[in-house]
Amino acid sequence: MNEKLKEKIKESLASVLPITAIVLLLSITIVPMEVGTLMLFLTGAVLLIVGMGFFQLGAEIAMTPLGQGVGGRLVKSKSILWIAAVCFAMGAIITISEPDLQVLANQVASIPNQVLIWTVATGVGVFTTIAVLRILFKISLAKMLTVLYVLLFLLSFFAPSEFIAVAFDAGGVTTGPMTVPFIMALGVGLSAARSDKDGANDSFGFIALCSIGPILMVLLLGIFYHPTDAVYEAVKITPVHTTHDVAMQFLLAIPQYAKEVLISILPVAGVFILFQLFSRHYHKRQVFRMSVGFLYTYLGLVLFLTGVNVGFAPVGSLLGSGLGEGNLKWLLIPIGILIGYYIVKAEPAVQVLNEQVEDLTGGTVSRGMMNAALSIGVACAVALAMVRVLTGISIYWVLIPGYILALVLCRFVPPVFIGIAFDSGGVASGPMTSTFLLPLAMGACTAIGGNVVSDAFGIVALVALAPLIAIQIMGLVYAHKSKTVPQPSAQLSDDIVIELEEE
């Protein structure tokens, strides 16, 4: 396991190093920073790298086998009502566990935090159930997504205009590092147990449908509560002068994030304990291994969130305001492209998804292909977000044509790429986007004198939209080159294979 951890940390280092180098280069050339602020950023980068390594290993040995085990058992049940009830509870519990949801709740001042959190959790629970029923009844993902997105845009015309960007941001924010590994694995377990030729194709699409729930619910809340604004708290850069000050910033923040992540992970650990008590699904060795996995997941998320929030968020805001204040505002666009290209690789859940995609497609869609497509897509999305910051154009001018193109592409690409593309949208817009790119856009928008709520918000939504198009284009290119539809091979994790063999 030590060798595996080293491997994951090396992968994290390769993911985080480019974005760190870009920020260092900008701090030397265009946006000078105080040495203390730079030390905060570099310390945050170290925590980010180590945290991602622990998290990825923890997700691999705990969250993924748990999701697959629950999914595999559920599909054997004869009661549709029981399956629906369990999936609703799973979706709601995991969503309440998502650390990013609290960030979203704080942005929507006119709706009480708990009301928003429980409503969004209900939305994800409902759509988790819908996703499971879609697999069981073999309903076309493309048709379902088309109907649901048409409904979303129709509903958005009745919500307050200042609220639209926040609502679409919600879809990306709530499918974060806690949600993705478990829900992806739940889909794998269900579809693998179905054992037909389309089963592996249908294992994708879970995140896609679960991303729709938060958008729908936040739009409904906007209509119901008639909020006049969504606010944000500007990121405050605490003055630091010595290495002791830097260390204290992180030491003071760790208990807060340790508590947040503990509250987040306890419901998932509870699911594991209950599932094991009632099903005796895992052997003693596996129970011990998965318990260590939960510990790694916990430790990884604490380090990751501390590093991102203390080290990265202030620097993102500082970079944005520095670029927005000068005469070189247009540099926001090329710098946004560069940051967008590399930042998606530093999202913890992206690497979990890419690994599962490579396994489930038998190498047809490799991690390298996924990383390239996601990087290009997110680079374009951040460029468009910066154009919005500079010009103030409505987010509708990007979202409506973007989703129309994504839904049209669904008619021409192999089915496996549709599920992967729409899942990637929810995964790409994780904590790095909300705690670095969003402050970057907010800082630039404030410096320029724009409307932060309507012009800076929406960057998460655009990052969530980009992979839908980029990965489906990759699917078109692949299908054209091979002239054959890729046939993914449903593969379970080593733990599940061992269990099935022993049973």
Side-chain angles (χ1 to χ4, degrees), residues 202-216:
D202 283 344
S203 65
F204 299 108
F206 250 65
I207 304 298
L209 290 169
C210 290
S211 297
I212 292 172
I215 305 173
L216 184 68

Side-chain angles (χ1 to χ4, degrees), residues 74-75 77-92 122 124-134 136-137 186 190 206:
L74 271 179
V75 83
S77 171
K78 301 297 182 185
S79 169
I80 295 295
L81 194 63
W82 169 248
I83 292 172
V86 171
C87 289
F88 174 83
M90 292 292 98
T122 301
V124 177
V126 168
F127 276 84
T128 304
T129 305
I130 289 171
V132 170
L133 296 178
R134 183 192 76 79
L136 295 178
F137 292 105
L186 187 65
L190 284 161
F206 250 65

Side-chain angles (χ1 to χ4, degrees), residues 220-301:
L220 287 172
L221 274 178
I223 295 166
F224 180 74
Y225 271 85
H226 302 291
T228 54
D229 62 345
V231 299
Y232 82 102
E233 292 179 10
V235 178
K236 295 176 183 176
I237 302 174
T238 308
V240 286
H241 305 290
T242 66
T243 51
H244 178 264
D245 294 337
V246 172
M248 286 307 296
Q249 288 300 309
F250 286 97
L251 288 173
L252 290 171
I254 282 175
Q256 175 194 341
Y257 294 109
K259 182 182 175 184
E260 277 185 22
V261 176
L262 182 63
I263 292 168
S264 298
I265 210 165
L266 279 176
V268 188
V271 169
F272 170 55
I273 293 166
L274 288 173
F275 179 65
Q276 178 62 11
L277 284 174
F278 284 105
S279 68
R280 303 289 178 188
H281 190 74
Y282 305 106
H283 304 297
K284 285 183 180 178
R285 180 179 62 84
Q286 292 166 314
V287 170
F288 176 75
R289 191 165 186 262
M290 289 173 71
S291 300
V292 173
F294 275 110
L295 184 62
Y296 279 5
T297 304
Y298 173 75
L299 181 61
L301 268 181

Side-chain angles (χ1 to χ4, degrees), residues 107 161-166 169 228-232 388 395 442 445 450-458:
Q107 306 297 342
S161 58
E162 300 86 358
F163 212 62
I164 305 302
V166 179
D169 279 356
T228 54
D229 62 345
V231 299
Y232 82 102
R388 287 190 66 243
I395 195 169
M442 286 174 170
C445 195
N451 184 328
V452 171
V453 173
S454 60
D455 300 340
F457 276 108

